[in-house]
Structures are given as structure tokens and as C-alpha cells.
Amino acid sequence: MSNIQHGDVVLDIRGLTVSVKGRKILSGLDLTVRAGEVHAIMGPNGAGKSTLSQVLAGRADYEILAGTATYLGEDLLALPPEERARRGLFLGFQYPVEIPGVNNVYLLKAALNARRKQIGLEEVDAFEFLAIVRDKMKLMQMDESFLKRGVNEGFSGGEKKRNEILQMTVLEPTLAILDETDSGLDIDALKVVSNGVNSLRSPARAVVLVTHYQRLLDHIVPDFVHVLAGGRILKSGDRGLALELERRGYDWVLEEANAA
Amino acid sequence: MSARPDAPSALARLEASLPGLPGGADWLAWRRAALAALASVGLPTPRDDAWKYTNLRLLERRDLAPATAQLLPTSALEALPTPTGPRLVFVDGRFHAGLSASALPEGVTLALAAPAIPPPATTAAAGIAVEDRIRTLNALLGRGADHLVIARGGTPGHTLEIVHVATGGGAYPHVALDLGNGASLDLLEYQIGPQQGDAFVAKVTDATLAAGARLAHTTIQLTGDRTVLLDDLRITLSADAHYQHRLVALGGQVTRFDLTVTLLAPGAEAHLAGLLFADGSREQHVRTLVDHRAPHGTSDQLYRGVAGGRGRGSYDGKVVVREGAAKTSSRQSSRNLLLGADAAIDTRPQLEINADDVKCAHGATTGTLDEHMLFYLLTRGLDRETARALLTYAFVEDVLKLLGDGPVRQAVESRALARLPAAATIREFVA
């Protein structure tokens, strides 16, 4: 596979309308993401940012009322979450779950092999796998003890986020959706996490950063910035928009949209 | 029930086996009176609140007479992990010297029940309280208490192993542990039973911990599919005494552990944990009563139940904080996982507080696998079956990890694993 070229459409969302427990969270959202691009989706709390991430990854308890999402030409919404993952869609969780007793490394190896199987590559054995993980752990500045621990078991908030990015760098997704990956990180951890994300940037991949704060974008410079509020993209721009949002807040965007 | 209304009850049928039991005429007379008193009230039923979730009706069709066969259970013992300390074996409630270690750690003595002791004076003809009925059954069909005495100062670092083997028929073990001031003991208890055929065990365990004593007690229940096991434990803690119980209930047909822990003096601690594994048509029940009678006591309870097939389970746990037991800290956690639509687990954490300035918390859940965890694993590309299997394992592991990292944990884990769905898949993730 991987004949994805710079500029190919990776994700195309049209008029996506989603409700959770009868409450409409997304209403008519449009977004196009191409290979080689980094998009930042910003917005006030409760705007639907996390819902968007979770819907794209395939969470079941959302109701799709209208719209489409196409991933590499396939109907994304028709695929179960594990199939999305195997096709190279990765969600970095805002709150990664702890699964004590299930070894971190074994999970990651299974995840990598599920992905490799999908794209017709041979499974990696334990030896090859450890070499890959050790390499990426160095990048993420994680120590050896991590290899022995349960999935996110007893991890600090920062460690959990690092672990998400570590998984991402090992899995090398075509589309990475990172949900509030910067929340709860101190400045050093933010740099490490950003390095991890930047290491993955390539003409054949795309990244969607969902974030509340501009500071992440100092380290991972986006090509596009979108404001998500009221369930849809109200405004799009370049990096300058993020800086303006930091200075002026979100209200002016909402007012502009209301006036239009 | 199919029995004719005029058929003698399981208890009444026991009359014939009393003359064969140890002791003289005074003992026989006592046993007869106690049996009559017990038969007049019967065994506990779900109408008794403390037995709400455990139904002993199936005992009516069983022969409860004490086993006499004394078959040597050597192959059953071989299946257990190699002991790390002295092992004492009780077969059908009777100490078996041939299978037991000849030397005990320094400071530990075993005093076997002596039939020369006169029987208890009263027979409570006026009625036996429901909480004493299994004890009464044990007393009237058993041989009295075998005492393990752990001397003052104790034997830190030693693990003493007790294996209770049931070979079929009835077994009535009674073990009493007396720990002196500052004594310390790690006690690992296995309960094994016949893999085929009926067995009934009504066991009594007493432990008295003097000031500063410490007892780390682990019970691994691996009895056969037709064994009914009732274990009534009463633990009494003096000042700063520390009791820890880890229960793993994997086998049996109907199993019930009744734990009554009394914190008599300030600074005592009780830490109870258990895994109840009720697959097939097994029933695993735990009832606890933690009684805080003095200030600065600490207790916590962590019970996990897994039921599959038509399995049943229950956690019925009560914490009482008496007047004056200020600065008590108590926690109860009961979480239960149902693997199928026909499985059921009841949970009832109860708290009765009669003192000021206490910290008590309890939580109980019964349900299916955590959807957030499941989703997380799916987003990593794992198939649904593997994800479910891993989460079930993780749930069980919550208790098993309390067993440490040694051979006991490994042995128990591999037995538990073998009974989980997709066991082979799980093994790839947990090595």
C-alpha cells in the first residue's frame, strides 16, 4: 500500500450531524484533510471537538443523523472501530484508559500486527518488535520500566499522553487524530509529545490536532486552523487564526457567524 | 422437592452416624442433643437474612455423614505448587500425619483435638441462632478444634501451608489459630476436593490475634464440581493486630465464605479481598461482617465476582462501627462482571455507623465489560473477541495481583485463565 501522495484526500467530511442521547452535538460539519497536512481544530469547551474525534474513531453510542465521512475513498462510518484502526486511522485519547494486567507492550505489538496484516505485511516477531519500540521510546523519553507495566496502569497524566504518542509513532498511521493531547502536560512533556508528532509528519500522512489552547501549535505548526463551535466549523484560516484566538478568545468568531 | 413429606430430613438421617464418632457416652449424648436441637430449627434458608443469597436446599438430597474412607489424595496434592514451607494436610477434616511435614517452624505448635475434653455444657435446646447453625453442625459431626499456636514474637517470614482435602461424603474441619503478642504468620490454605462425586464440607476457622500480631491468610478454593463448601471464619483482633485475607474461589458447586472479623481494641486492621469465579453452574458466595468495636481501626474489603454460564455469586458485606469506635476508617468495594445473560451476582454492601468522626466508603457495581476500555482496545485494531477476553482477564487480575509474583499466583492464574473465554489469546498478552 502507501501509494498515498501528498495532496490526496485522506478524510472528507460532509454535513456531518451527530447526536448523543438525543442531544445534537455536531450539525452539518464539513472538513477536508489531505495527505501532508496538519489541521488544528480549536473551539470552546462543549463545542463538539471530542465528539468529532470519537465519531471518527468509531465509538458506538453516537447517532449519526446526517452527513458522510469518507476515509481514503471508503465510507468511514460504515466501518467498525477496529477496521478503521487497521486502515491507518489512529485516535490519541484525551483520557487514555487504564487496563491493569494487560501488558502495554503486548497490546502495542498486537496493534502493530493487526495493522501490518491489513496492509499485507508480515507480522513482526517479539525481537523485531522490541527493537522498534525501544527506538521510539527513546524519542518519547520513556524508561525501560514501561515495558513491564500494564496499559496505562498507574501512569501520570503526562505518561499516558506520551504512551498515546508512542503508540502512534509505532503504528505510523495515515491519519492521526489527537484529542487534547496537550492537556495536562507541563512544558517539557509538551515538547516531547510534539517531537513525537513532528517525527511522523510526512507527505503521505495527515494529522488532526484537537486542542483548546494555542500553545501546542507553537511546537506543532499547523497548515490549517479551524474553529469548531455549535457543532460545525465556523471559521478556517492559517496559523495566524490560532494566535488571534489566543488574543481575542472565541466570542468574536461566534458573533461573526451569527451576523452572517 | 421430590422427597416425600414424611421422609427424614438430611439432618435427621445423621442420627445413625453419631455412635461412630470419637468421644465417650457423654459426647454421644451431647451430639444427639445438639443434632435434635439443630434439626428442630433446620439449616439456614434464604428466608434468613444472612443467607438471603445462598440456598442449601440441595443438601437435602445429600448424605452429610462424616466420611470414613480416608482415601489418600496424593495425586491431588501433586497438582498444587511446591510448598515453600511446612505443609499440614487434613483429610476429611482429620489431620494426616503421613502427608504432613514433621517439623513446624520454631514457635509454632499444633495441638490436635483431644476427645478427652468434656463436651460443651449446654446444647441450646431453646434454639440455635442462625449464625451458629453451621458451627453447630461442625461441632456435632466433627472431632473438635485442632489448635495451631503461634507463640509470642512469632515466626516472621515463614509460610505455613494447610491443605484441606475432601474425599467425598461429609468433612467437618475445625482449625483454631492462636497468635501471641507480636506473632506473625503467613498462612496459605488450599481446599481441594474430589473431582468426581459428592462432597460436603462444613468448616470452622477461628483466629485470635493478640496485640501486634499479624496473620496474612490466603485461601485458594479448588474443590470439585459436586462439592458444597461452607467455611465459617471468625477472627478476633486485639490492639494493633493485623489480619489480611485473600480468597480465590475457583471450584466447587456451592461455596460460601462467612467472615466475621471483630476489631476489639484500638489500631487493629483487617484487609479482606477475594475473587469469586462462578462459571458453569457454580455458586460462589461471600458474606462478611466487620465489627469495629474500638477506635482507630482500619478495614477494607475488595471483592470481585465473575459469573458466566448459569453461574451465581454474591457479596453480602456489612461493616458495623460501634459507639466509641471513633477514627475508624473503612472501605468496601464489590465489583462484578457478568459474562452471559443467564449469569447473576448479587451485591449488598451495608454500613451501620454508631460513632462520630469516622471515614467509611463503599461502592458496588454489577455489569458487563467497561465500554470505554473496550472501545480503547478496538481503536488499536484488536478484534472484539480478543478485546473482551483481555478485559475479562484484567478484571480477574485485580485480585490475583494481590497474591504477589510467586508460584501461588502463577498456579492460580493459570487455572483461572484456562476457564476464561479465549484463554489462548489472553496468554499471548500476559506472559
Side-chain angles (χ1 to χ4, degrees):
Chain A
M1 75 136 242
S2 206
N3 25 29
I4 297 166
Q5 310 269 322
H6 189 271
D8 287 355
V9 174
V10 173
L11 177 68
D12 194 35
I13 306 174
R14 294 276 149 239
L16 188 61
T17 302
V18 173
S19 74
V20 182
K21 289 174 188 143
R23 210 178 119 237
K24 199 180 278 186
I25 307 288
L26 298 180
S27 59
L29 185 138
D30 295 325
L31 180 70
T32 303
V33 177
R34 294 170 190 274
E37 295 175 350
V38 173
H39 291 244
I41 296 180
M42 305 183 70
N45 284 329
K49 299 192 299 290
S50 278
T51 300
L52 176 62
S53 312
Q54 303 260 318
V55 165
L56 293 176
R59 205 162 141 181
D61 47 1
Y62 293 99
E63 198 187 346
I64 315 277
L65 300 174
T68 58
T70 310
Y71 172 72
L72 299 176
E74 270 191 284
D75 177 4
L76 181 68
L77 302 177
L79 295 172
E82 63 274 26
E83 291 297 335
R84 300 181 195 196
R86 292 170 193 172
R87 283 165 171 74
L89 186 149
F90 178 87
L91 171 63
F93 279 65
Q94 182 180 6
Y95 302 111
V97 296
E98 295 193 26
I99 311 178
V102 175
N103 183 288
N104 233 328
V105 172
Y106 291 99
L107 170 62
L108 189 47
K109 178 164 162 269
L112 178 61
N113 282 332
R115 167 94 174 112
R116 290 177 66 91
K117 200 171 160 194
Q118 176 75 27
I119 57 182
L121 295 175
E122 281 207 16
E123 297 197 352
V124 293
D125 64 28
F127 189 75
E128 294 169 293
F129 179 75
L130 267 185
I132 297 170
V133 174
R134 285 220 159 89
D135 189 43
K136 306 293 187 188
M137 278 169 62
K138 212 174 289 168
L139 174 72
M140 298 309 296
Q141 301 184 13
M142 297 171 86
D143 70 86
E144 284 278 308
S145 71
F146 159 86
L147 293 171
K148 296 203 169 74
R149 292 163 77 179
V151 177
N152 291 315
E153 184 177 6
F155 286 24
S156 69
E159 283 179 313
K160 285 180 185 168
K161 297 300 176 73
R162 271 185 217 214
N163 193 25
E164 293 292 285
I165 301 305
L166 175 81
Q167 292 181 4
M168 183 190 75
T169 59
V170 170
L171 297 174
E172 302 187 326
T174 302
L175 174 62
I177 301 164
L178 304 177
D179 188 4
E180 308 261 2
T181 294
D182 51 331
S183 67
L185 294 184
D186 61 27
I187 188 67
D188 293 328
L190 187 67
K191 280 182 188 161
V192 171
V193 162
S194 301
N195 282 342
V197 176
N198 286 327
S199 77
L200 201 81
R201 289 182 82 153
S202 98
R205 296 184 215 290
V207 178
V208 174
L209 300 169
V210 175
T211 181
H212 194 65
Y213 299 106
Q214 202 287 133
R215 63 170 194 165
L216 177 69
L217 308 182
D218 289 339
H219 302 277
I220 310 170
V221 179
D223 301 297
F224 300 94
V225 173
H226 311 277
V227 177
L228 171 57
R232 59 202 178 92
I233 304 287
L234 290 187
K235 193 175 181 67
S236 298
D238 61 12
R239 197 185 162 208
L241 176 58
L243 296 168
E244 193 172 359
L245 290 169
E246 188 180 43
R247 234 180 21 250
R248 298 176 61 190
Y250 290 103
D251 287 350
W252 65 276
V253 184
L254 303 176
E255 281 159 22
E256 231 179 64
N258 285 338
Chain B
M1 220 185 329
S2 57
R4 300 195 323 273
D6 56 342
S9 72
L11 288 177
R13 292 197 301 270
L14 288 166
E15 174 70 34
S17 49
L18 297 183
L21 294 171
D26 51 349
W27 266 97
L28 182 59
W30 180 84
R31 291 183 200 275
R32 282 193 167 128
L35 180 61
L38 185 61
S40 72
V41 289
L43 292 174
T45 76
R47 285 191 302 277
D48 300 304
D49 190 60
W51 288 75
K52 188 173 157 113
Y53 304 115
T54 318
N55 198 328
L56 298 179
R57 201 172 43 201
L58 79 168
L59 291 180
E60 268 313 311
R61 272 169 265 128
R62 294 286 182 90
D63 178 13
L64 310 183
T68 48
Q70 286 274 299
L71 301 166
L72 287 190
T74 43
S75 64
L77 291 176
E78 278 159 16
L80 299 176
T82 313
T84 56
R87 174 187 272 175
L88 304 177
V89 179
F90 292 77
V91 180
D92 295 324
R94 292 172 70 173
F95 179 69
H96 195 298
L99 293 171
S100 301
S102 50
L104 289 172
E106 207 187 309
V108 178
T109 47
L110 173 66
L112 296 177
I117 297 170
T122 59
T123 319
I128 301 164
V130 69
E131 61 270 24
D132 290 328
R133 287 181 201 165
I134 300 306
R135 286 189 162 247
T136 303
L137 185 66
N138 174 283
L140 76 94
L141 294 172
R143 316 171 68 85
D146 299 313
H147 278 263
L148 260 173
V149 180
I150 296 87
R152 174 193 187 94
T155 55
H158 277 93
T159 296
L160 184 68
E161 212 175 283
I162 295 183
V163 183
H164 284 282
V165 188
T167 64
Y172 300 92
H174 183 174
V175 175
L177 297 140
D178 300 310
L179 283 83
N181 283 344
S184 174
L185 182 71
D186 287 339
L187 176 67
L188 171 62
E189 203 178 341
Y190 289 103
Q191 296 168 339
I192 55 181
Q195 291 313 300
Q196 269 150 12
D198 294 353
F200 174 66
V201 182
K203 177 169 173 283
V204 168
T205 310
D206 295 312
T208 306
L209 279 68
R214 175 194 152 277
L215 176 58
H217 184 190
T218 301
T219 305
I220 312 287
Q221 190 274 105
L222 304 168
T223 57
D225 292 348
R226 299 272 303 162
T227 298
V228 176
L229 169 74
L230 309 173
D231 196 350
D232 186 313
L233 299 100
R234 292 189 188 171
I235 319 293
T236 309
L237 306 179
S238 296
D240 301 316
H242 187 288
Y243 178 67
Q244 169 186 301
H245 190 236
R246 309 275 181 248
L247 167 67
V248 180
L250 289 177
Q253 180 175 17
V254 176
T255 303
R256 174 182 164 110
F257 287 85
D258 259 284
L259 280 130
T260 303
V261 183
T262 307
L263 291 76
L264 273 181
E269 289 189 31
H271 302 273
L272 313 179
L275 171 67
L276 309 178
F277 199 95
D279 58 344
S281 56
R282 256 177 253 289
E283 289 190 31
Q284 306 281 12
H285 303 283
V286 164
R287 195 193 69 94
T288 66
L289 171 60
V290 175
D291 189 353
H292 285 269
R293 296 193 184 187
H296 294 280
T298 303
S299 69
D300 63 64
Q301 302 183 50
L302 182 142
Y303 286 94
R304 300 287 178 261
V306 180
R310 286 177 295 117
R312 290 280 176 279
S314 69
Y315 165 76
D316 188 2
K318 188 171 187 176
V319 173
V320 178
V321 182
R322 307 244 180 181
E323 209 174 312
K327 308 276 183 197
T328 287
S329 165
S330 155
R331 285 183 9 210
Q332 273 173 289
S333 161
S334 161
R335 283 175 52 205
N336 302 293
L337 178 61
L338 304 178
L339 298 178
D342 297 325
I345 300 182
D346 291 295
T347 176
R348 179 168 68 160
Q350 301 180 81
L351 195 49
E352 191 185 305
I353 304 179
N354 302 304
D356 296 326
D357 195 13
V358 298
K359 270 202 318 222
C360 297
H362 63 75
T365 59
T366 297
T368 50
L369 293 169
D370 184 308
E371 286 298 325
H372 295 281
M373 292 187 185
L374 195 58
F375 180 57
Y376 187 81
L377 294 178
L378 294 175
T379 65
R380 297 308 180 246
L382 268 60
D383 63 76
R384 210 161 271 269
E385 192 202 12
T386 303
R388 296 186 68 88
L390 280 180
L391 292 178
T392 307
Y393 168 79
F395 187 88
V396 167
E397 200 50 25
D398 219 14
V399 173
L400 295 188
K401 70 182 179 198
L402 300 175
L403 300 179
D405 275 329
V408 176
R409 153 92 170 268
Q410 282 166 24
V412 170
E413 200 168 72
S414 91
R415 282 167 203 258
L417 249 176
R419 302 241 297 271
L420 291 175
T425 310
I426 301 171
R427 285 204 175 88
E428 290 177 27
F429 284 86
V430 299

